[in-house]
Amino acid sequence: MSRKRILVTGGAGFLGSHLSERLLADGHEVVCLDNFFTGTHSNVAGLRDNARFELFRHDVQEALTMEVDQIFHLACPASPIHYQRNPVRTIRTAVEGTLNLLDVARESGARMMIASTSEVYGDPAEHPQTEAYWGNVNPIGPRACYDEGKRCAEALATAYASQYGVEVRIARIFNTYGPRMHENDGRVVSNFVVQALSGKPLTIFGDGKQTRSFCYVSDLIEGFVRLMASEHGCAPVNLGNPRESTMIELATLIKQMTGSKSEIVHEPLPKDDPVRRNPNISRAQKLLGGWTPVVPLEKGIAATIEYFRGVVEG
Ligand code: NAD
Ligand code: UDP
């Protein structure tokens, strides 16, 4: 393996910090760029002493120049409560941020992977979702700033690939969880675990029969690394774990595994909350050298509980 200089935008966030750690372990130089909107210095504290690691505060809405070999473009708030706080800024981050990074890729000849999302499928009419499905997204709903922003980012990346020959990879990421999610991230796994550990009620939105398919972070990062290395081109690739759970099942599992006495309560379902979501990962399995998630939900949740015990108990 030759040592590469790799830019990770959103590198101080949940996924970005795990990716940075993995790339350093693989012997690369990592330039981590973040505006610390949802990312934290503590996420990358363990990497700061590594001479191959650099950290910059920068907002991807602003243009930048940099000589790098590869770009993993992850910068964007990912949790509904965060991306809906300032929807215009979310769209700008997704669209202008991706444009700015595509320009860096074009100028430096870097290969670039963009972190897209299963949200491009919206509230899917097709189940499980294959990459061929075009989605069912409300363009004016509360999730539109994120969903449409990411759809536009995919369109931009594809246009840069066809028009300028930029080497683009598109990862459609399904719900991923694990250590270093923010305590107040707002996504369901961290919410339930933190609630269970602090003796607060577990808040199920709606009847809890909606489904998601949860992927442990190390499995996703392995998929990122393989996708970046693959020669298959710019067609999007689903990355996620096909095991599907209802929110009731997830809450029950987390309650059992933490031994928590917290009650389970129901709160209103947010508008446009997708009813079900499940990845078809055949394309990834075929193109990424047999990549497949290997961490069972129970094991991943156990590691996440252990991490949050440290956070909650200080
Ligand atoms: P996260 O919120 O922990 O990380 C996002 C990072 O981007 C944070 O460090 C944040 O400070 C940074 N950021 C946000 N706006 C920025 C800006 N304008 N300029 C520079 N930095 C900025 O979320 P995550 O789960 O690590 O998500 C990372 C990426 O993966 C996001 O693009 C997200 O859309 C995508 N994704 C994640 C999931 C998942 O389940 N974790 C699913 C689908 C897609
Ligand atoms: N959810 C929930 N309780 C919470 C947070 C989320 O029941 O405290 C539900 C949410 O309504 C959705 C699912 O869990 O149906 C996943 O939500 P999350 O925000 O983690 O991801 P996304 O909706 O973006 O897939």
Side-chain angles (χ1 to χ4, degrees):
M1 189 244 13
S2 63
R3 180 189 287 191
K4 293 193 166 58
R5 184 169 164 77
I6 304 179
L7 173 60
V8 180
T9 74
F14 162 50
L15 296 180
S17 63
H18 284 276
L19 175 63
S20 298
E21 194 173 19
R22 165 66 189 268
L23 296 173
L24 288 171
D26 287 350
H28 299 296
E29 288 173 41
V30 173
V31 182
C32 170
L33 191 149
D34 209 293
N35 72 348
F36 298 97
F37 178 52
T38 52
T40 61
H41 284 278
S42 62
N43 278 346
V44 288
L47 312 179
R48 299 292 295 269
D49 288 341
N50 191 318
R52 286 180 282 109
F53 182 77
E54 290 171 82
L55 177 63
F56 293 104
R57 181 185 286 269
H58 180 86
D59 193 308
V60 295
Q61 293 170 85
E62 306 294 330
L64 68 155
T65 46
M66 197 174 280
E67 285 295 322
V68 286
D69 302 307
Q70 292 182 346
I71 302 168
F72 287 91
H73 178 42
L74 274 59
C76 186
S79 167
I81 58 164
H82 295 299
Y83 71 64
Q84 290 174 15
R85 192 180 302 155
N86 186 336
V88 173
R89 180 169 155 166
T90 299
I91 298 179
R92 280 193 200 281
T93 293
V95 177
E96 293 175 359
T98 302
L99 261 177
N100 287 333
L101 271 301
L102 283 165
D103 282 332
V104 175
R106 186 182 172 201
E107 283 155 19
S108 60
R111 182 177 287 187
M112 172 160 156
M113 189 205 86
I114 65 163
S116 185
T117 167
S118 53
E119 293 282 330
V120 299
Y121 302 123
D123 191 7
E126 200 175 274
H127 193 75
Q129 294 81 53
T130 67
E131 292 87 350
Y133 178 53
W134 289 356
N136 176 32
V137 172
N138 176 357
I140 54 167
R143 298 172 84 99
C145 56
Y146 183 74
D147 301 4
E148 297 289 13
K150 292 283 186 178
R151 285 167 70 96
C152 184
E154 287 199 11
L156 283 168
T158 308
Y160 268 62
S162 63
Q163 194 172 332
Y164 301 131
V166 174
E167 285 201 61
V168 161
R169 302 288 178 270
I170 299 174
R172 287 190 180 155
I173 306 162
F174 284 66
N175 299 64
T176 301
Y177 69 97
R180 295 201 209 119
M181 294 183 90
H182 199 281
E183 194 183 348
N184 303 316
D185 181 88
R187 281 177 283 186
V188 68
V189 173
S190 47
N191 268 12
F192 286 174
V193 171
V194 171
Q195 288 163 343
L197 291 176
S198 29
K200 297 192 180 130
L202 274 63
T203 52
I204 290 184
F205 298 165
D207 63 10
K209 291 185 184 149
Q210 71 271 37
T211 69
R212 295 293 187 271
S213 304
F214 295 101
C215 183
Y216 189 64
V217 61
S218 57
D219 284 332
L220 183 81
I221 298 302
E222 179 64 28
F224 278 1
V225 170
R226 290 191 191 207
L227 179 58
M228 182 62 102
S230 83
E231 296 302 330
H232 92 281
C234 70
V237 177
N238 286 343
L239 292 177
N241 188 321
R243 176 168 158 190
E244 192 175 352
S245 309
T246 65
M247 295 314 106
I248 294 174
E249 287 163 351
L250 182 71
T252 309
L253 178 71
I254 290 174
K255 222 169 106 67
Q256 272 169 5
M257 289 185 64
T258 50
S260 171
K261 302 217 169 8
S262 292
E263 54 175 339
I264 292 179
V265 297
H266 289 262
E267 292 189 354
L269 187 68
K271 186 173 180 314
D272 290 348
D273 199 275
V275 175
R276 54 194 186 164
R277 194 181 288 146
N278 186 239
N280 176 315
I281 57 168
S282 314
R283 180 178 285 177
Q285 287 171 318
K286 191 164 148 235
L287 296 176
L288 308 184
W291 171 82
T292 207
V294 293
V295 181
L297 185 63
E298 292 72 12
K299 208 172 155 205
I301 292 290
T304 309
I305 291 171
E306 197 183 317
Y307 169 78
F308 277 114
R309 255 191 225 287
V311 174
V312 169
E313 289 165 10

